[in-house]
Amino acid sequence: MSDSAVSAAPLATIASLAQHEGQTVTLRGWLYNLRESGKLLFPIFRDGTGTIQGIVPKAAVPEEVFTTIKNLTQESSVVVTGKVRADKRAPSGFELDVENIEVIHRIPEETPFPISLKEHGVDFLMEHRHLWIRTPRQSAILRIRATIMRAAQEYFDTNGFIRTDPPILTPNACEGTSELFEMDYFDQEKAYLTQSGQLYIEATALALGKVYSFGPTFRAEKSKTRRHLTEFWMIEPEVAYLDLDGLMELAENFVSHIVKRVLEGHQADLKVLQRDVAKLEAIQAPFPKISYDEAHAMLEEAYKQGAIEHPHTYGDDFGSPDETYISSQFDRPVMVHRYPAAVKAFYMEPDPKDPTKALCLDVLAPEGYGEIIGGSQRVSSYELLKSRIEAHNLPLEAFQWYLDLRKYGSVPHSGYGMGIERVVAWVCGLDHVRETIPFARTLNRIYP
Ligand code: 4AD
């Protein structure tokens, strides 16, 4: 096993092997698994772009290469040389006829890689998240996450939006005061970690027309659910002179674009995740749109027929089981609009046709995934906004600048926020958001 033999072949990645069919290439990665069958070894290598099975017949390689591979341990790092052979049965479409191997770091038997190929409990996996992310499923999710983030930005960047990122440290609440992470800000008043950049991008929208922000947001969620993180990434567009109908159109085109990009670039990853691709192919604008009243009527009917456990009370927000039921009735995301103003945020414009309703929208992902987007048209009247801030017992001083936006050239404007992790969970078909982000932060987890 000479170094030169290993490094002589051109470097390739597993994802790019289609371009190297019939060639001898070098892969740099790790051993994921090793099977043995008589005089044949079947090592599976991973390199971050995918996995590939190698074939090592005893008779075809130098004795030393065979023994080295036979003694490899899971997750030892290796540089492998081999010939790329197309094989329809292989998950990646290719196999590698291994010719040579260089071991970069061999993990000793006494300290095996903790995430073995058997089943592990969730707590154990989360405790070892820094290692768990190496497994094919978790890597596939993280690759898809990156594409979802890129596609989301791409949609706005190519449609005339200017990215304007708001501060993370803020003096006021955007989404209610009960879920704020609070901190001392030197010897001045309190500061809070942002719950949403919305209030700030309303200001930049009035400066630049069409804007968006993209960054981490924080909510001290005291509940343990499969949809809530305390730190999550939100992308938020905000547009001057846009009404609720325009906002719904923006949301459906945006979501369709993201799903399209995932389908274009991640067939192999979706296969690893055993995702039903046909369900994603159905995601095309326009999306169904129903009012809160219509959604409530659906729930009433569902309760009568025993399809949901608890009745929905008219006037209340929808709980998770309600959202799950509504969204499972559609093959595309459903847009629920015009909720009772009383259960929604202070900044939402009332519907002129029925001021008890807000001009707002929630987008519920299909297959029971629930809310992925929340947004609204914003109150544009100074007087109304001021009275809303007071009615919600929010400190007027902290919102003076926000009120200024209604004092100087106020216009109708609208925006929404989409949580990246909820979308990753839906697109990847996951049960829980904890797998959608490299290192999830939840009520009882802040390690590693
Ligand atoms: O509906 P929300 O609370 O809306 C806002 O924050 C608005 N200010 C956004 C805007 O209009 N610019 O949150 C928006 C989205 C939700 O639909 C959901 O996808 C996600 O953010 N989200 C969470 N994701 C994970 N964990 C949590 N705790 C989340 N809370 C909200």
Side-chain angles (χ1 to χ4, degrees), residues 55-68:
I55 313 279
V56 194
K58 195 168 183 1
V61 294
E63 175 80 36
E64 199 189 342
V65 171
F66 190 84
T67 319
T68 303

Side-chain angles (χ1 to χ4, degrees), residues 175 196 198 219 221 229 236 347 371-373 378 419:
E175 293 302 320
S196 159
Q198 180 197 319
R219 298 204 187 166
E221 302 277 4
L229 295 166
E236 301 177 81
Y347 52 70
E371 184 196 323
I372 51 170
I373 285 181
R378 321 303 190 188

Side-chain angles (χ1 to χ4, degrees), residues 174-175 195-198 201 217 219 221 227-238 344 347 362-363 371-376 378 415-423 433:
C174 178
E175 293 302 320
Q195 296 171 307
S196 159
Q198 180 197 319
I201 60 172
T217 44
R219 298 204 187 166
E221 302 277 4
R227 294 180 185 162
H228 290 91
L229 295 166
T230 54
E231 178 178 326
F232 62 97
W233 284 65
M234 181 147 55
I235 189 158
E236 301 177 81
E238 190 71 33
K344 287 293 185 182
Y347 52 70
D362 277 5
V363 180
E371 184 196 323
I372 51 170
I373 285 181
S376 71
R378 321 303 190 188
Y416 60 74
M418 183 184 84
I420 293 296
E421 292 71 22
R422 299 259 182 101
V423 177
V433 285

Side-chain angles (χ1 to χ4, degrees), residues 1 31 41 75 106 130 149 159 193 202 210 212 239 248 251 285 311 352-353 373 377 388 403 432 440:
M1 182 176 42
L31 180 83
L41 300 177
E75 281 307 309
R106 184 178 179 283
H130 51 300
M149 293 175 113
N159 281 286
L193 293 180
E202 284 186 52
K210 289 162 74 170
Y212 76 99
V239 185
M248 291 205 251
K353 292 199 189 107
I373 285 181
Q377 197 171 316
R388 284 288 186 78
L403 279 163
H432 201 291

Side-chain angles (χ1 to χ4, degrees), residues 230-429:
T230 54
E231 178 178 326
F232 62 97
W233 284 65
M234 181 147 55
I235 189 158
E236 301 177 81
E238 190 71 33
V239 185
Y241 291 105
L242 189 73
D243 62 10
L244 181 63
D245 286 343
L247 189 69
M248 291 205 251
E249 203 180 318
L250 179 67
E252 63 195 359
N253 289 328
F254 170 70
V255 171
S256 306
H257 174 79
I258 292 170
V259 174
K260 182 172 129 222
R261 283 282 185 260
V262 172
L263 284 166
E264 280 166 1
H266 292 277
Q267 288 297 326
D269 287 329
L270 292 167
K271 210 167 180 177
V272 169
L273 297 168
Q274 298 178 311
R275 184 68 171 105
D276 184 346
V277 173
K279 293 225 164 87
L280 296 179
E281 284 165 349
I283 309 306
Q284 287 180 25
F287 294 166
K289 298 166 184 81
I290 59 172
S291 65
Y292 170 90
D293 286 6
E294 287 165 328
H296 170 75
M298 269 176 73
L299 292 171
E300 261 194 329
E301 192 54 36
Y303 181 67
K304 267 192 221 147
Q305 295 183 0
I308 51 174
E309 215 177 308
H310 302 286
H312 175 253
T313 308
Y314 186 84
D316 284 1
D317 204 350
F318 299 125
S320 271
D322 301 327
E323 283 185 357
T324 301
Y325 178 80
I326 298 166
S327 67
S328 64
Q329 300 308 299
F330 298 90
D331 65 347
R332 281 168 295 159
V334 55
M335 303 191 158
V336 187
H337 54 87
R338 294 178 171 80
Y339 284 61
V343 297
K344 287 293 185 182
F346 72 94
Y347 52 70
M348 293 184 178
E349 186 79 287
D351 184 352
K353 292 199 189 107
D354 173 6
T356 66
K357 298 279 167 45
L359 290 178
C360 64
L361 109 126
D362 277 5
V363 180
L364 312 182
E367 301 171 69
Y369 275 92
E371 184 196 323
I372 51 170
I373 285 181
S376 71
Q377 197 171 316
R378 321 303 190 188
V379 170
S380 58
S381 141
Y382 180 93
E383 289 309 326
L384 178 59
L385 185 62
K386 184 162 173 271
S387 66
R388 284 288 186 78
I389 292 171
E390 285 163 348
H392 280 77
N393 289 321
L394 294 166
L396 255 189
E397 328 75 69
F399 287 94
Q400 276 312 331
W401 69 269
Y402 185 60
L403 279 163
D404 273 354
L405 306 179
R406 278 71 182 172
K407 213 159 130 190
Y408 304 112
S410 187
V411 296
H413 61 287
S414 303
Y416 60 74
M418 183 184 84
I420 293 296
E421 292 71 22
R422 299 259 182 101
V423 177
V424 176
W426 159 50
V427 169
C428 292

Side-chain angles (χ1 to χ4, degrees), residues 62-137:
E63 175 80 36
E64 199 189 342
V65 171
F66 190 84
T67 319
T68 303
I69 296 176
K70 192 175 153 78
N71 291 323
L72 271 183
T73 45
Q74 187 199 349
E75 281 307 309
S76 290
S77 42
V78 289
V79 178
V80 191
T81 305
K83 196 171 190 174
V84 180
R85 181 168 37 74
D87 185 324
K88 283 212 180 69
R89 291 161 307 171
S92 66
F94 298 93
E95 285 193 334
L96 192 74
D97 290 324
V98 177
E99 295 172 7
N100 211 337
I101 192 158
E102 181 188 351
V103 179
I104 306 300
H105 176 226
R106 184 178 179 283
I107 302 176
E109 278 81 1
E110 309 83 81
T111 55
F113 187 68
I115 316 288
S116 65
L117 301 179
K118 62 170 204 216
E119 291 266 310
H120 294 283
V122 168
D123 283 340
F124 180 86
L125 290 170
M126 288 306 287
E127 199 74 9
H128 293 86
R129 182 65 177 163
H130 51 300
L131 304 176
W132 185 27
I133 50 179
R134 298 187 190 189
T135 58
R137 228 183 111 74

